[in-house]
Amino acid sequence: MKIILDDAQIKESLYPFTDTRHVADIRVGILTIREKWTLLEENNFIFENENSINIPANIIPTIQNVHRIFDAISSNKKLKNDNDIKYLSHPWHIFELNDWALRKDFELITAGRTSQPIPGSNKIVAAQNIFIEEGASVEHCIINASTGPVYIGKNAIIMEGCIIRGPFAICENAILKMGAKIYGATTIGPNCVAGGEIKNSILFANSNKAHDGYLGDSVIGEWCNLGAGTSNSNIKNTASNVKVWCNTTKNFEDAGLKCGLLMGDYSRSAINTSFNTGTVVGVCCNIFGEGFPPKLVTNFTWGKQQYVFEKALQDIDNWKKLKKMEISFEEKNILKNLYNYKTT
């Protein structure tokens, strides 16, 4: 069966993460939505059929709900959010649903497979809920998987002294630095470097939060870098609901009791940056200067000015070279279109 993931109706609502990617390429849980569909198909959870089917790209597929999704869409029935069906309708839903998605992805990824042995130097609670892929390194750490599963991806490195409480995932080739304190539900995406204190947050891929500082109830896109000491607030001093920028209504909308930092791709913060509750940072921003950044930092902001486009591309390429990669022609085109849209 050919699955067509349609994001036309929802793309704008998931800013800043969908300015540079299809909705299906958002990471929630261990995998992106597209990767979940692929793995479900590879493991024969999807019917073999010559027909094609249009599926909303923001629905999160699982082993349990995939047939219900097909049945509902085939009969033109609307699927509502419930205990089994979850949609991403706003960017803060990514961290709000991460606990649920981590557990579902862990079940999908590990079904019928055997974990690598857990090295004896670690202090472990609920070892049956831990899965270690080939090539991963984890020594002299405390891992409590009684509160949720812990997935350690291929060639990931968890340095000594880390304290981890599930549910948690560190993906392929990612690094967790010494002494990190990780609360569930947290996902460290492929090739990321993480450290300090992190709670209920997602780093998509190739991003760095490598030093001390707090990241909570937050989502960080790809190719971002949080300078040493960067922290965010995730709850207001009044304990009232957080207002977060919504790109569809062009207004600040109620996001519930907790929301930290929502940062788009290619953005960076200087050392000791403090982000207010519910801050949205767009694509390709360089955050520095005194005081709190605004609650909305628009695409291509450099301090309090506009990034020069050629300089922005060069800075991205410099960061990518640190991971032995380079900016692609496709990325340049996407960013050029975004830049032209902002400046017209």
Side-chain angles (χ1 to χ4, degrees), residues 22-202:
H22 194 283
V23 167
D25 296 315
I26 288 175
R27 187 175 304 278
V28 55
I30 303 172
L31 305 167
T32 67
I33 293 173
R34 191 185 306 277
E35 289 169 342
K36 298 178 204 293
W37 283 112
T38 299
L39 198 53
L40 284 163
E41 186 173 30
E42 288 175 355
N43 286 277
N44 299 316
F45 288 106
I46 294 175
F47 299 123
E48 288 188 14
N49 193 309
E50 292 182 359
N51 298 328
S52 64
I53 184 168
N54 270 55
I55 295 176
N58 61 324
I59 194 169
I60 303 174
T62 69
I63 293 172
Q64 291 78 17
N65 70 20
V66 64
H67 291 161
R68 184 179 163 197
I69 293 170
F70 285 141
D71 291 344
I73 292 174
S74 299
S75 55
N76 293 316
K77 293 180 181 178
K78 188 173 182 180
L79 287 165
K80 295 183 178 180
N81 270 306
D82 56 30
N83 290 334
D84 189 43
I85 300 291
K86 306 291 184 185
Y87 286 91
L88 297 178
S89 300
H90 296 286
W92 52 89
H93 289 166
I94 301 171
F95 70 78
E96 288 180 349
L97 293 176
N98 205 47
D99 187 301
W100 176 85
L102 274 165
R103 297 171 192 269
K104 297 298 185 183
D105 282 354
F106 185 87
E107 181 181 1
L108 175 60
I109 289 172
T110 64
R113 302 177 62 219
T114 301
S115 170
Q116 297 295 306
I118 302 172
S121 66
N122 298 289
K123 176 67 175 177
I124 301 297
V125 180
Q128 70 275 13
N129 295 333
I130 298 172
F131 194 95
I132 303 177
E133 297 281 8
E134 184 179 355
S137 172
V138 50
E139 297 279 1
H140 301 286
C141 297
I142 300 172
I143 304 176
N144 180 0
S146 67
T147 52
V150 171
Y151 174 80
I152 301 172
K154 186 177 180 180
N155 297 323
I157 298 173
I158 300 180
M159 294 183 181
E160 54 271 24
C162 291
I163 305 172
I164 299 167
R165 188 176 179 90
F168 168 73
I170 182 169
C171 299
E172 187 171 350
N173 295 318
I175 298 172
L176 194 59
K177 296 185 74 176
M178 288 192 299
K181 295 180 289 185
I182 309 296
Y183 298 83
T186 291
T187 300
I188 309 301
N191 303 307
C192 288
V193 180
E197 183 179 1
I198 305 176
K199 173 250 180 187
N200 192 30
S201 296
I202 303 97

